[in-house]
Amino acid sequence: MAEFTLPKNSVLIEGKTFKAPAGATNIRRFEVYRWDPESGENPRIDAFELDMDSCGPMVLDAILKIKNEVDSTLTFRRSCREGVCGSCAMNINGKNSLACTKAIDSYSGTIKIYPLPHLQVIKDLVPDTTHFFAQYASIKPWIETQTPPPADAERLQSKEDREKLDGLYDCILCACCSTSCPSYWWNSERYLGPAVLLQAYRWLVDSRDENTGERLDELEDPFKLYRCHTIMNCTDTCPKGLNPAKAIAETKKLLVQRKLG
């Protein structure tokens, strides 16, 4: 049987434990992934025992409490705190989600917080999304047209055509779906991944776009689209309740229909 071992500098080690203040009775334990590339040390797991009587209800509130009151060196991304910007995407108790939308009380026992899987880590809970957003740019996420715009008017679409975009435009590019996809782990250099493919389909079905043929040409590739094996992790983990797997399947249908004429 083949045996695989991790490089020595990637093996997790036990980190520090920060106890709750004396007298605290409502305590929750958070275990947080820590790695500082400048230290030269292995990544570690630090444990924080927090007094919930002085903490907000969301996982992001706990992370902010750690940053503000316990260890100011903790590094992470966050912005809107309303599940709109996607900045605070991370892996919480084994599932990718947004820290700002996950209630602490929805978990039992210790809460374990890691950066999004598969991506290179910049520091602590901050993944490098450079490649992810380069792939997003590659699908040209904007309306492309061949005809001149109407004089003194917008390019309009019917209510029915507008409804086709529901469940597509809502994507916040948090990368939770793509980084939960084994196919993306294996082939991320060439497979676009569920988030980008959902966005690609959003422009394919936009009635105002006039470049459908070229968009389909770009996707008709053994890796860009067809590495999807319908594992469904993407749909299961999406914090916005979207269905990237369906969008990918619909894109494949468009390509088949084009071939059949």
Side-chain angles (χ1 to χ4, degrees):
M1 180 183 293
E3 293 186 8
F4 300 92
T5 57
L6 292 170
K8 289 183 178 180
N9 63 354
S10 69
V11 177
L12 281 169
I13 61 175
E14 185 177 350
K16 306 172 185 177
T17 297
F18 298 85
K19 294 291 186 179
T25 57
N26 185 13
I27 298 172
R28 290 296 299 270
R29 180 183 173 92
F30 296 81
E31 295 183 356
V32 183
Y33 178 96
R34 307 298 305 278
W35 182 66
D36 182 354
E38 296 182 357
S39 71
E41 298 177 355
N42 277 29
R44 67 180 193 271
I45 300 297
D46 284 353
F48 301 88
E49 296 179 355
L50 301 183
D51 180 3
M52 289 294 98
D53 290 334
S54 61
C55 181
M58 299 301 187
V59 172
L60 182 58
D61 290 315
I63 296 172
L64 287 167
K65 185 177 178 66
I66 293 169
K67 173 80 171 179
N68 295 335
E69 301 177 16
V70 185
D71 185 351
S72 63
T73 66
L74 177 62
T75 304
F76 57 95
R77 291 192 182 112
R78 56 96 178 177
S79 184
C80 74
R81 301 188 66 173
E82 295 179 346
V84 175
C85 71
S87 299
C88 64
M90 53 192 72
N91 187 279
I92 306 170
N93 275 15
K95 187 171 183 178
N96 296 346
S97 191
L98 302 178
C100 68
T101 64
K102 300 304 292 185
I104 294 170
D105 286 346
S106 65
Y107 300 99
S108 60
T110 298
I111 295 179
K112 300 181 179 181
I113 305 171
Y114 290 77
L116 290 176
H118 169 73
L119 301 179
Q120 293 289 325
V121 175
I122 296 175
K123 186 180 179 184
D124 293 344
L125 301 175
V126 178
D128 187 349
T129 54
T130 303
H131 179 63
F132 173 78
F133 282 106
Q135 289 179 312
Y136 175 57
S138 75
I139 58 126
K140 300 179 180 179
W142 52 78
I143 290 176
E144 293 197 311
T145 59
Q146 308 297 330
T147 59
D152 301 320
E154 299 177 3
R155 294 183 185 272
L156 302 178
Q157 60 184 170
S158 68
K159 182 178 179 181
E160 291 72 24
D161 283 338
R162 167 60 185 79
E163 288 176 350
K164 293 177 182 178
L165 305 181
D166 289 344
L168 303 173
Y169 78 89
D170 322 52
C171 174
I172 59 175
L173 294 171
C174 63
C176 282
C177 63
S178 290
T179 55
S180 72
C181 172
S183 294
Y184 192 70
W185 301 343
W186 303 326
N187 302 287
S188 60
E189 291 304 311
R190 297 176 65 183
Y191 174 50
L192 293 179
V196 173
L197 289 172
L198 180 140
Q199 289 288 332
Y201 182 66
R202 176 255 179 274
W203 296 103
L204 284 170
V205 297
D206 193 317
S207 61
R208 300 164 297 177
D209 190 272
E210 299 172 349
N211 226 17
T212 303
E214 183 178 314
R215 292 183 186 279
L216 287 174
D217 289 343
E218 287 294 320
L219 293 172
E220 195 164 15
D221 177 277
F223 277 86
K224 286 183 180 179
L225 172 68
Y226 287 102
R227 288 303 94 184
C228 172
H229 297 298
T230 323
I231 297 169
M232 301 299 290
N233 279 10
C234 57
T235 298
D236 177 63
T237 199
C238 177
K240 305 297 287 187
L242 308 183
N243 193 344
K246 181 180 179 182
I248 295 170
E250 292 295 334
T251 302
K252 292 177 180 177
K253 284 172 59 177
L254 289 175
L255 284 165
V256 171
Q257 289 166 358
R258 185 172 73 161
K259 284 184 179 180
L260 296 176

